[in-house]
Amino acid sequence: MGKVKAILASLALATTSLCAGYAYAGGFPPFNRLAGETPSGQPVPRFVSLKFSNINGRAGPDKDYPVRWVYKRKGLPVRVVAETDDWRRIEDPDGAVSWVHKRMLDGRRTGIARPSRDMRVAMRADASSDTRVVAYISDGVIVEITEERPGWRQVKAGRFKGWVPASELWGADNSRHP
């Protein structure tokens, strides 16, 4: 009888340990998805950028899923639309959706020029359409977003720094500081 109790006690201990480990390994996450909480603690959706110039976008959140896209533009802004502990579902500027590992993403904010009227976006000295033009940014150029004001983003492109309307950049409409 003592041997059976010992076996049952070790089984109970193993089950308790397994359940506790399972709770922190993603089975019962310590966050509330219904309340909008995420594994990273960051809001979804949000904008981030690609960290490397060769990233596989997969059909699902695991290396076993087939590659849908190979992203070749380091710094490309992407929108995180869902996430697991290790994977992020992203939408690129063309609307394609795929999964990438979180290590492939950078929190640095970038935008891609998407002019609404002309083939270029005017970069201005201040956040106003009345100030002088510092430079022009061609359609599709990736810029770093350095500061935000309502309706405007301060950007850096090469050696130029200035302000552009947020509406002229893909990746600028979801501020970290609403």
Side-chain angles (χ1 to χ4, degrees):
M1 194 69 166
K3 188 175 185 180
V4 171
K5 284 183 182 176
I7 291 173
L8 288 175
S10 6
L11 206 77
L13 181 62
T15 304
T16 304
S17 298
L18 181 62
C19 287
Y22 186 65
Y24 292 107
F28 305 106
F31 54 89
N32 182 349
R33 286 187 197 271
L34 296 176
E37 296 175 8
T38 60
S40 68
Q42 298 292 316
V44 171
R46 69 179 178 277
F47 282 95
V48 296
S49 57
L50 299 182
K51 191 181 279 190
F52 305 106
S53 59
N54 192 15
I55 295 175
N56 292 331
R58 298 185 177 275
D62 192 274
K63 285 185 178 182
D64 293 336
Y65 284 94
V67 174
R68 278 191 176 162
W69 305 102
V70 177
Y71 293 101
K72 299 279 190 182
R73 288 186 80 182
K74 179 180 179 177
L76 182 74
V78 294
R79 182 185 352 239
V80 175
V81 295
E83 63 180 54
T84 67
D85 285 336
D86 292 327
W87 293 83
R88 306 295 183 254
R89 188 170 191 216
I90 61 167
E91 178 185 355
D92 66 31
D94 295 326
V97 177
S98 62
W99 288 88
V100 298
H101 196 277
K102 67 181 181 182
R103 289 187 315 247
M104 303 295 116
L105 301 175
D106 191 345
R108 186 172 57 101
R109 288 289 306 275
T110 61
I112 190 166
R114 292 291 161 114
S116 57
R117 286 179 257 133
D118 198 355
M119 294 297 293
R120 58 193 185 163
V121 176
M123 181 190 294
R124 301 196 173 267
D126 201 2
S128 168
S129 56
D130 297 333
T131 60
R132 71 179 173 83
V133 174
V134 175
Y136 288 98
I137 306 168
S138 297
D139 185 22
V141 170
I142 295 172
V143 296
E144 182 179 355
I145 299 172
T146 58
E147 192 178 329
E148 302 178 5
R149 290 189 191 161
W152 291 85
R153 301 297 180 262
Q154 185 180 52
V155 300
K156 187 176 176 187
R159 69 180 202 270
F160 296 100
K161 189 172 188 178
W163 292 87
V164 298
S167 60
E168 303 282 312
L169 293 176
W170 191 91
D173 59 342
N174 184 19
S175 173
R176 275 192 251 180
H177 312 288

